[in-house]
Amino acid sequence: MSTLTLDSILNPEPLQVSRNITASSEEASAITFNDFQISDSLKGRLRAAGFVTPTPVQAGAIPPALEGDDILATASTGTGKTLSFLIPMIERLEEISVPSTRGKKTPVLALILLPTRELAMQVLESFHKICPTLKTDAVLVCGGLSENTQMEQISRGPRLIVATPGRLEDFLRRKAVNLKDVDMLVLDEVDRMLDMGFLPAIKRIVAALPKDRQTMCYSATLDANIREIVKDYVQTPVRVEIGHTSRPVDSVELRVYTVMQDQKLSQLDKMLNEEQGTYLVFSRTKHGADRIGRKLEKLGHEVEIIHGDRSQSQRSAALKSFATGRSRILVATDVAARGIDISNIAHVVNYDLPNGSDDFVHRIGRTGRAGAKGVASTFITPLEKGDARKLERELKIKFTWNEADKNLAKEERNKPIDLSKPASGINDLLQMETRSWKNADGSVNESTPQRSRSGSGGGFNRSGGRSSGGRPQGGHAGRPAGRRTGGGTRGR
């Protein structure tokens, strides 16, 4: 047992790697999935699913993973990380025979931890796409979905669990799941899981696993803090690095539009009418996402919205509608969008500037995936030019700068109320209040509110009835009834 000294604290032991792999697109395109040491059955299923040529991260990570090495990989978002760990995992599971004794529960042999339920659902969908006959061999464990259903599925003995840390830690604490036989662990989007505060849960989950397992860690970035954390989970890993992970990929065209705040909507509408393709629009706030979505719908566009106050069923329906092309536009906040893994997004629009360069890279990484071309447009006001220049310096990128048309229509917002004219002032106040009220189903109530006919403490009622105590029924003003107020995208 090593002795803890001041020097060991100030100068921690560096992460030891067995070898470094840097794969280029040219090297990856020279091979196919048939060149990997995997079963003919798996090769056939990959072909049937349309997978022929591996991406660089797949070409770099799959061979050493098949040999049983731990993997520490960094790659830009949308480079095919999911398949790079699913293929070795599926090959390993198929090498292990399932007990034929009827009623005997098989142990959990593989575990994938991800930061969001949306990403977990997409990974499970990819597994089922490659293994269509093994529907019950993998289960989803995450918040926002029925606990009882997940417990029932675990009781059937799946060999793979795809989970978010919060819900899985809860099941582990309640002894609803046993992880003592896990042979392969995948930690995906490690940097995001740390940003979301999952480190304590991850530590407790990993403590319940065997020490002689294989571990594969994936992160968009690998700074000193992340290196210090992951070194406790991997043993002399193979370091796989694909291209630049701290800057946008070259296949994305980067635009900036200098535009006044009240003309952003018109600029977006202009782009939607002039250019083809799907649009992912980022808003800084949940309220802003709702407002942008409503305004775009009024302009005749098909729009879906996701943010932390949307239920899981609402978010799943929105993602499905966007992914299948029924809706051309998806408006999202940063946290809710972290789990989006949808191919062929043509445009990403930063309606509001992101909080930092990492969020900027993560946002625009949703387009230009797997070598496809994409466009990322960022709206800035004249006062935000310095922030955009800072992004250029930090990320070593160059924007194409555009000035928005000064004659664009201005978005109508609530006007100041002139209380010097009592009659018109009261009417203006009522009209502003009407615009902000919503029904319980989230739709805007455009009718003029009626005063309560009762004289005692009555207020306005969004649903048409009397509201007790002078407060609107169903929640606070401006918030739909029944909506969760702090859901976020954590696993619990």
Side-chain angles (χ1 to χ4, degrees), residues 115-116 188-198 219-220 226 334 338 358-363 366:
T116 67
D188 194 16
E189 303 271 2
V190 174
D191 51 339
R192 288 295 168 184
M193 288 198 284
L194 298 184
D195 287 345
M196 298 169 71
F198 281 136
S219 180
I226 296 175
D334 284 299
R338 282 175 181 163
D358 285 346
D359 285 334
F360 178 83
V361 173
H362 204 72
R363 283 182 179 188
R366 305 304 176 187

Side-chain angles (χ1 to χ4, degrees), residues 362-432:
H362 204 72
R363 283 182 179 188
I364 67 175
R366 305 304 176 187
T367 187
R369 290 175 170 238
K373 296 294 184 181
V375 178
S377 299
T378 301
F379 293 173
I380 62 168
T381 64
L383 293 177
E384 293 173 326
K385 283 186 177 181
D387 295 321
R389 295 293 187 191
K390 183 180 178 182
L391 280 174
E392 284 186 311
R393 292 192 302 271
E394 288 183 355
L395 298 173
K396 296 180 174 60
I397 58 176
K398 292 294 293 182
F399 288 124
T400 300
W401 290 76
N402 304 274
E403 291 284 341
D405 185 352
K406 298 293 190 297
N407 296 317
L408 287 171
K410 294 184 178 181
E411 183 180 352
E412 184 179 350
R413 310 293 283 265
N414 288 334
K415 300 176 181 179
I417 299 171
D418 185 2
L419 295 178
S420 65
K421 300 177 180 179
S424 62
I426 291 297
N427 287 333
D428 288 343
L429 179 62
L430 292 177
Q431 289 300 316
M432 184 177 72

Side-chain angles (χ1 to χ4, degrees), residues 171-232:
F171 280 9
L172 195 62
R173 178 180 54 82
R174 292 154 60 181
K175 294 183 170 50
V177 62
N178 188 334
L179 304 177
K180 67 180 181 62
D181 294 302
V182 169
D183 186 55
M184 180 181 284
L185 167 68
V186 173
L187 298 174
D188 194 16
E189 303 271 2
V190 174
D191 51 339
R192 288 295 168 184
M193 288 198 284
L194 298 184
D195 287 345
M196 298 169 71
F198 281 136
L199 181 57
I202 293 172
K203 285 184 174 180
R204 286 187 280 269
I205 291 169
V206 173
L209 307 180
K211 293 190 180 298
D212 59 347
R213 65 182 185 274
Q214 180 182 16
T215 302
M216 304 177 69
C217 292
Y218 291 80
S219 180
T221 59
L222 196 63
D223 57 27
N225 182 46
I226 296 175
R227 282 175 176 267
E228 186 64 20
I229 291 168
V230 300
K231 78 175 187 179
D232 293 331

